[in-house]
């Protein structure tokens, strides 16, 4: 990744390296990249290349020391001294293994020309990054490496914990500087450069022990970095674990000073001592650039009196490091030491909660590689999927295709746990939305189709849950020939919750042909047990949709004979809310209106007259005796006073002569009833007579 370095190592030199490496035994185990990517160690003497292990393709970084590079500068007898220092440093790395120290994958291999070993994949040393920051130019083939605040906070905590481990192991590092801190491709900061470690006082690690100062009499490659050495080491030839803390304070200052060390002695002891006298003032000038929660700690770390400096344990407990996002990243570093239950809880809860607060750069660089690795474990597969799907959902299509998909695609066909398959199905739409190519999209949908055929109820159910989310991505043929038959089978076997099946059916209804709806869908609906309010609501919703368009084939005959008889009893279902009840009544009324219009038109065509119910209602109302009032006049009604039988005989004899008179009286009565004139104007006294009492005379 790095093609040029402040400390040397150009592209021309890198081009010849593969030929040199071929003579080293490490070439038998690893394929090595042709171009140098970074540098590290004393005076950046280690050249770093990308590579991978031949046996299993595991990605690594190859550290190469070319012995002739020392001969150019130093006398030949000093070449062995540098080689021995580097060889011992790698062995110490292997001995003091810790999650916060550089992990050696393959130990030192040596030949007359080179020294080499393999480590976990490395992006760059902190020295490379700070050199790029100092010069404000791109030092790599790619853009300049910009460190985020959370990366610095997380990285410093990692280095502090690495020092805690060493100090607990009763050794001091002696060369804590940017070239001894490597940034892995996952974004972790790892402490290395164990060439100068020294034992400490066993009873009290803060007690001083004799240490050699820096001198011009021996090669600078065989000594710690002068710019970061503690004052007591250089001035008094003594040191302790607190000397490492001074060096760490100098590293912190360099980070917040645009990559420049506070002391730049340029391998000159006199310059070092002069600048040391001005150290307090330099630190005071720099403090405003240091985060406020870290300022006091930096001041104490760079105190010339070692007893005023905090230990690594005290430093790691600073509030500055109390960040949930940092703690989550820390947990990932030791995730392999946790049991499946702890891992699952972390992935489902802790990590998913802090992901929105972690910069996207770290999603891809640090978190995603861990998640991808964990997908190999079926015990935590379902839990790992949740943060993975969150990252996919919140990434751009380009980021998904270039960074995430290559690692995520194998999961489409890989064996999965039941719960893992359920989680993937329930979130299938997230993957499909980001998957542009038809080929990959078909692979994703194949997960859905295969799940319908699963013998596991949980997987079948999850497949139907996924249908509403992915309907837009399914073609009509797949819906008609694959999805609908599986849905019917699930209905018949009663293996899936009918509420879920109803929701799936609603989503695909408008994609089915009329004949399919009539022959396959409607019989399904008639078999649904209308008891639970939620099922009733969904069935009513399907019928409402069918009523909206004739293409669904819901005939009036089906409405009258099958649908309404099944829905009517539910009008008195106590579980329905008022809103649900009103929707049910509206659908029933709508069906009744369809039947009314259809039958009326049919009967008219048959030349049958069927008065409208709306016409009957006013007539019934008009003729009802409840609407009659008295007194009233009844046309053609004649009521006479009660007579004796002799009088009746006389009337019969004179009936013929009274016909004309009666007719005249009746005409007058009709006229009177129309005009509303009082009966006193009638000309005949024997017409309709109402006594004053209001009762009819019989």
């Amino acid at each position: 990744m790095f093609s040029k370095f402040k400390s040397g190592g150009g592209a021309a030199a890198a081009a010849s390296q593969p030929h040199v490496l071929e003579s080293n035994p490490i070439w038998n185990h690893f394929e090595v990249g042709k171009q140098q990517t970074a540098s590290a160690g004393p005076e950046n003497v280690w050249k770093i290349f990308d590579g991978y292990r031949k046996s299993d393709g595991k990605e690594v970084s190859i550290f190469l020391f070319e012995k002739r590079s020392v001969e150019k500068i130093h006398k030949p007898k000093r070449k062995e001294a540098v080689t021995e220092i580097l060889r011992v440093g790698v062995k110490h790395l292997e001995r003091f293994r810790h999650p916060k120290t550089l992990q050696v994958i393959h130990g030192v291999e040596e030949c007359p020309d080179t020294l080499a070993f393999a480590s976990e994949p490395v992006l760059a040393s902190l020295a490379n990054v700070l050199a790029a920051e100092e010069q404000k130019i791109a030092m790599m083939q790619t853009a300049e490496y910009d460190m985020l605040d959370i990366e610095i906070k997380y990285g410093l905590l990692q280095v502090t914990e690495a020092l805690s481990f060493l100090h607990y192991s009763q050794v001091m590092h002696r060369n804590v500087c940017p070239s001894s801190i490597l940034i892995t491709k996952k974004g972790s900061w790892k402490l290395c450069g164990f060439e100068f470690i020294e034992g400490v006082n066993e009873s009290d690690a803060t007690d001083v022990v004799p240490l050699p100062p820096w001198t011009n009499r021996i090669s600078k490659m065989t000594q710690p970095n002068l710019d970061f050495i503690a004052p007591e080491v250089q001035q008094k030839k003594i040191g302790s674990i607190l000397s490492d803390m001074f060096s760490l304070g100098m590293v912190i200052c360099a980070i917040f000073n645009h990559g420049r060390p506070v002391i730049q002695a340029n391998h000159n002891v006199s310059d070092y001592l002069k600048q040391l006298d001005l150290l307090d003032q330099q630190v005071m000038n720099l403090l405003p650039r240091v985060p406020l929660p870290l300022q006091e700690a930096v001041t104490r770390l760079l105190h010339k009196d070692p007893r005023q400096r905090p230990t690594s344990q005290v430093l790691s407990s600073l509030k500055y490091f109390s960040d949930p996002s940092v703690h989550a990243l820390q947990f990932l570093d030791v995730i392999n030491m946790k049991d499946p239950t702890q891992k699952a809880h972390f992935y489902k809860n802790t990590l998913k909660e802090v992901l929105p607060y972690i910069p996207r750069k770290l999603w891809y660089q640090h978190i995603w590689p861990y998640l991808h690795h964990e997908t190999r474990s079926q015990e935590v597969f379902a839990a790992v999927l949740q943060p993975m799907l969150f990252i996919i959902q919140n990434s751009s299509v380009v980021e998904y295709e270039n960074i995430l998909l290559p690692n995520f695609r194998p999961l489409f066909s890989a064996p999965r746990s039941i719960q893992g398959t359920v989680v993937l199905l329930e979130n299938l739409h997230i993957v499909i939305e980001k998957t542009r190519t038809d080929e990959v999209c078909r692979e994703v949908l194949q997960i859905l189709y295969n799940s319908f055929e699963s013998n596991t109820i949980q997987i079948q159910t999850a497949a139907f849950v996924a249908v509403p989310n992915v309907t837009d991505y399914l073609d009509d043929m797949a819906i008609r020939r694959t999805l609908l038959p599986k849905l019917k089978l699930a209905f018949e076997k009663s293996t899936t919750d009918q509420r879920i099946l109803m929701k799936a059916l609603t989503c695909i209804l408008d994609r089915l042909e009329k004949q399919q709806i009539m022959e396959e869908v409607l019989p399904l609906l008639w078999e649904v047990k209308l008891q639970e309010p939620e099922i009733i609501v969904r069935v009513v919703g399907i019928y409402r949709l069918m009523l909206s368009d004739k293409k669904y084939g819901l005939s009036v005959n089906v409405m009258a004979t099958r649908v309404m008889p099944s829905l009517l009893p539910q009008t008195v279902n106590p579980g329905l809310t008022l809103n649900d009840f009103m929707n049910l009544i509206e659908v029933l009324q709508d069906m009744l209106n369809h039947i009314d219009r259809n039958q009326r038109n049919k009967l008219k065509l048959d030349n049958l007259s069927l008065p409208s119910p709306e016409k009957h209602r006013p007539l019934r109302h008009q003729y009802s005796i409840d609407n009659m009032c008295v007194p009233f006049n009844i046309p053609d009604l004649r009521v006479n006073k009660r007579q004796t039988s002799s009088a009746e005989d006389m009337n019969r004899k004179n009936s013929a002569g009274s016909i004309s008179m009666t007719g005249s009286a009746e005409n007058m009565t009709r006229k009177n009833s129309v005009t509303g004139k009082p009966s006193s104007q009638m000309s005949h006294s024997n017409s309709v007579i109402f006594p004053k009492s209001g009762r009819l005379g019989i």
Side-chain angles (χ1 to χ4, degrees):
M1 194 170 183
F2 284 90
S3 58
K4 295 181 180 180
F5 306 96
K6 182 181 178 183
S7 303
S16 64
Q17 298 307 321
H19 301 291
V20 177
L21 273 173
E22 288 178 5
S23 62
N24 191 292
I26 204 167
W27 185 265
N28 299 325
H29 305 282
F30 299 92
E31 289 288 346
V32 185
K34 293 183 179 180
Q35 191 165 6
Q36 181 182 344
T37 59
S39 61
E43 296 299 304
N44 290 305
V45 71
W46 286 112
K47 301 183 188 330
I48 305 174
F49 298 83
D50 288 337
Y52 64 89
R53 191 159 54 193
K54 293 179 179 179
S55 61
D56 57 4
K58 181 180 178 65
E59 186 181 9
V60 297
S61 284
I62 304 296
F63 284 65
L64 170 70
F65 166 60
E66 194 173 357
K67 296 179 181 180
R68 66 182 181 181
S69 65
V70 177
E71 291 178 351
K72 294 178 182 178
I73 304 173
H74 304 286
K75 296 179 181 180
K77 65 180 182 179
R78 294 183 177 178
K79 178 178 68 174
E80 182 55 36
V82 175
T83 303
E84 178 60 20
I85 285 286
L86 297 178
R87 188 188 299 116
V88 169
V90 178
K91 291 181 178 180
H92 284 154
L93 268 179
E94 292 183 275
R95 176 186 173 189
F96 295 101
R97 295 181 67 86
H98 188 267
K100 311 302 181 182
T101 62
L102 184 68
Q103 302 300 298
V104 176
I105 303 298
H106 188 94
V108 171
E109 295 281 3
E110 189 172 0
C111 70
D113 298 322
T114 61
L115 197 70
F117 74 96
S119 77
E120 60 185 307
V122 167
L123 180 68
S125 67
L126 183 60
N128 299 148
V129 174
L130 294 182
E133 172 67 18
E134 182 180 359
Q135 296 179 12
K136 293 296 182 183
I137 59 171
M139 303 301 293
M140 309 179 190
Q141 297 174 2
T142 58
E144 179 180 340
Y145 185 95
D146 294 322
M147 287 191 296
L148 305 174
D149 290 341
I150 189 175
E151 287 183 280
I152 296 173
K153 185 185 299 185
Y154 169 53
L156 289 176
L157 181 58
Q158 288 176 303
V159 174
T160 302
E161 291 185 351
L163 286 175
S164 295
F165 165 70
L166 289 180
H167 296 167
Y168 180 79
S169 303
Q170 297 184 327
V171 295
M172 69 178 82
H173 188 276
R174 288 189 62 213
N175 192 31
V176 179
C177 63
S179 62
S180 295
I181 299 172
L182 288 172
I183 303 174
T184 69
K185 290 191 175 181
K186 291 181 179 180
S188 300
W189 291 19
K190 299 294 185 79
L191 186 63
C192 65
F194 284 16
E195 294 85 4
F196 309 107
I197 63 172
E198 187 79 32
V200 298
N201 191 310
E202 294 183 2
S203 59
D204 187 352
T206 60
D207 286 348
V208 296
V209 295
L211 293 176
W214 199 93
T215 176
N216 288 318
R217 291 192 295 270
I218 60 176
S219 169
K220 58 180 179 290
M221 290 186 181
T222 60
Q223 301 182 82
N225 191 324
L226 177 61
D227 293 344
F228 295 86
I229 287 179
E232 64 273 14
V233 175
Q234 190 61 31
Q235 293 177 316
K236 301 179 181 180
K237 302 180 182 181
I238 57 175
S240 68
I241 61 171
L242 296 175
S243 302
D244 283 344
M245 301 311 294
F246 178 91
S247 300
L248 179 58
M250 295 293 281
V251 170
I252 295 173
C253 286
I255 291 172
F256 292 103
N257 193 35
H258 305 298
R260 294 190 298 271
V262 178
I263 293 178
Q264 299 182 59
N266 195 27
H267 308 108
N268 187 305
V269 175
S270 298
D271 287 348
Y272 170 86
L273 295 174
K274 290 177 182 178
Q275 295 181 40
L276 185 63
D277 292 336
L278 303 173
L279 180 63
D280 292 341
Q281 184 59 45
Q282 292 277 25
V283 172
M284 291 302 296
N285 295 337
L286 176 63
L287 277 183
R289 288 183 237 164
V290 178
L292 187 61
L294 198 57
Q295 289 180 5
E296 182 183 355
V298 169
T299 303
R300 291 183 58 194
L301 284 170
L302 297 182
H303 205 286
K304 293 178 182 178
D305 182 358
R307 293 171 297 180
Q308 300 299 320
R309 301 169 196 160
T311 64
S312 54
Q313 290 88 346
V314 172
L315 184 64
S316 62
S317 64
L318 283 180
K319 188 176 180 181
Y320 173 69
F321 297 115
S322 298
D323 184 331
S325 299
V326 171
H327 290 165
L329 296 175
Q330 287 279 94
F331 193 93
L332 279 174
D333 287 337
V334 294
I335 196 73
N336 291 333
M337 302 169 62
K338 307 299 180 180
D339 60 51
T341 302
Q342 292 173 312
K343 289 182 179 181
H345 181 271
F346 171 76
Y347 289 128
K348 288 192 297 185
N349 300 286
T350 308
L351 183 58
K352 195 173 179 182
E353 289 173 4
V354 302
L355 271 176
Y357 306 101
I358 297 177
R360 294 156 70 96
K361 172 186 175 182
L362 296 185
W363 289 2
Y364 311 127
Q365 181 184 8
H366 188 85
I367 298 173
W368 187 263
Y370 280 107
L371 298 179
H372 173 246
H373 178 76
E374 288 286 4
T375 57
R376 303 170 187 174
S377 170
Q378 294 301 315
E379 292 179 293
V380 296
F381 180 79
V384 171
L385 273 179
Q386 299 192 30
M388 292 184 86
L389 290 165
F390 177 88
I391 292 175
I392 291 173
Q393 186 174 20
N394 292 278
S395 298
S396 68
V397 172
V398 174
E399 290 167 336
Y400 169 71
E401 290 188 341
N402 295 338
I403 303 173
L404 308 180
L405 183 58
N407 292 332
F408 196 74
R409 187 172 182 175
L411 302 184
F412 299 159
S413 55
R416 296 178 294 271
S417 64
I418 294 175
Q419 191 57 38
T421 303
V422 168
V423 172
L424 186 58
L425 286 169
E426 291 176 346
N427 297 276
L428 204 59
H429 58 288
I430 295 175
V431 180
I432 294 179
E433 286 171 0
K434 291 292 192 298
T435 307
R436 293 193 298 185
T437 60
D438 293 340
E439 178 185 355
V440 179
C441 195
R442 283 195 297 271
E443 290 182 39
V444 179
L445 290 175
Q446 196 60 45
I447 300 174
L448 179 66
Y449 300 148
N450 293 340
S451 298
F452 287 128
E453 300 176 359
S454 173
N455 296 323
T456 306
I457 296 176
Q458 297 98 310
I459 293 178
Q460 276 192 358
T461 301
F464 285 111
V465 169
V467 169
N469 298 326
V470 301
T471 305
D472 293 341
Y473 303 97
L474 302 175
D475 57 54
D476 292 345
M477 196 61 66
I479 289 176
R480 295 167 186 172
R481 293 188 177 181
T482 303
L483 181 54
L484 183 59
K486 299 299 179 185
L487 189 145
K488 283 180 59 182
L489 187 61
F491 259 111
E492 293 169 0
K493 292 185 176 181
S494 299
T495 56
T496 306
D497 191 332
Q498 290 190 345
R499 292 170 295 184
I500 296 173
L501 296 176
M502 288 292 98
K503 188 173 182 180
L505 183 59
T506 303
C507 295
I508 66 171
L509 197 60
D510 62 343
R511 306 280 292 278
L512 301 176
E513 295 175 336
K514 181 177 180 179
Q515 194 67 22
Q516 272 188 309
I517 295 174
M518 295 174 63
E519 295 180 356
E520 300 182 55
V521 175
L522 286 174
L524 280 183
L525 293 177
W526 301 334
E527 297 297 325
V528 176
K529 296 178 181 179
L530 299 178
Q531 294 176 348
E532 297 183 29
E534 188 175 349
I535 294 180
I536 296 171
V537 169
R538 294 192 178 181
V539 171
V540 168
I542 293 175
Y543 283 132
R544 185 190 294 276
L545 177 63
M546 287 184 168
L547 286 168
S548 66
D549 199 316
K550 292 182 179 180
K551 70 177 183 179
Y552 295 110
L554 189 59
S555 66
V556 294
N557 184 56
V558 172
M559 292 183 210
T561 60
R562 300 304 299 266
V563 180
M564 292 186 71
S566 66
L567 294 180
L568 279 170
Q570 303 310 318
T571 57
V572 293
N573 190 313
L576 294 179
T577 64
L578 177 60
N579 187 54
D580 297 338
F581 171 75
M582 294 302 297
N583 289 334
L584 174 58
I585 291 296
E586 287 176 8
V587 168
L588 286 170
Q589 186 63 53
D590 199 5
M591 290 182 180
L592 194 59
N593 290 339
H594 275 75
I595 295 170
D596 179 42
R597 287 191 298 270
N598 182 272
Q599 289 301 102
R600 191 178 304 283
N601 293 334
K602 181 178 178 181
L603 292 172
K604 284 181 179 179
L605 291 174
D606 293 341
N607 294 321
L608 296 177
S609 175
L610 182 63
S612 172
E614 288 75 16
K615 292 171 66 179
H616 285 182
R617 267 188 215 100
L619 287 176
R620 289 196 296 270
H621 181 76
Q622 180 179 346
Y623 296 154
S624 173
I625 61 173
D626 295 335
N627 294 312
M628 288 186 178
C629 59
V630 292
F632 58 87
N633 299 320
I634 302 176
D636 300 327
L637 176 63
R638 180 173 181 179
V639 181
N640 297 325
K641 293 182 180 180
R642 185 173 180 82
Q643 298 175 342
T644 62
S645 59
S646 60
E648 292 173 356
D649 293 338
M650 182 62 72
N651 284 339
R652 281 195 295 271
K653 291 179 181 180
N654 296 328
S655 61
S658 61
I659 290 175
S660 59
M661 184 181 297
T662 303
S664 177
E666 289 173 351
N667 291 335
M668 185 61 70
T669 302
R670 294 192 186 94
K671 179 178 180 183
N672 200 37
S673 67
V674 174
T675 60
K677 293 182 180 181
S679 59
S680 60
Q681 297 180 11
M682 295 174 63
S683 58
H684 297 282
S685 59
N686 291 334
S687 297
V688 178
I689 300 171
F690 292 96
K692 291 182 180 180
S693 64
R695 294 185 297 177
L696 292 176
I698 303 299

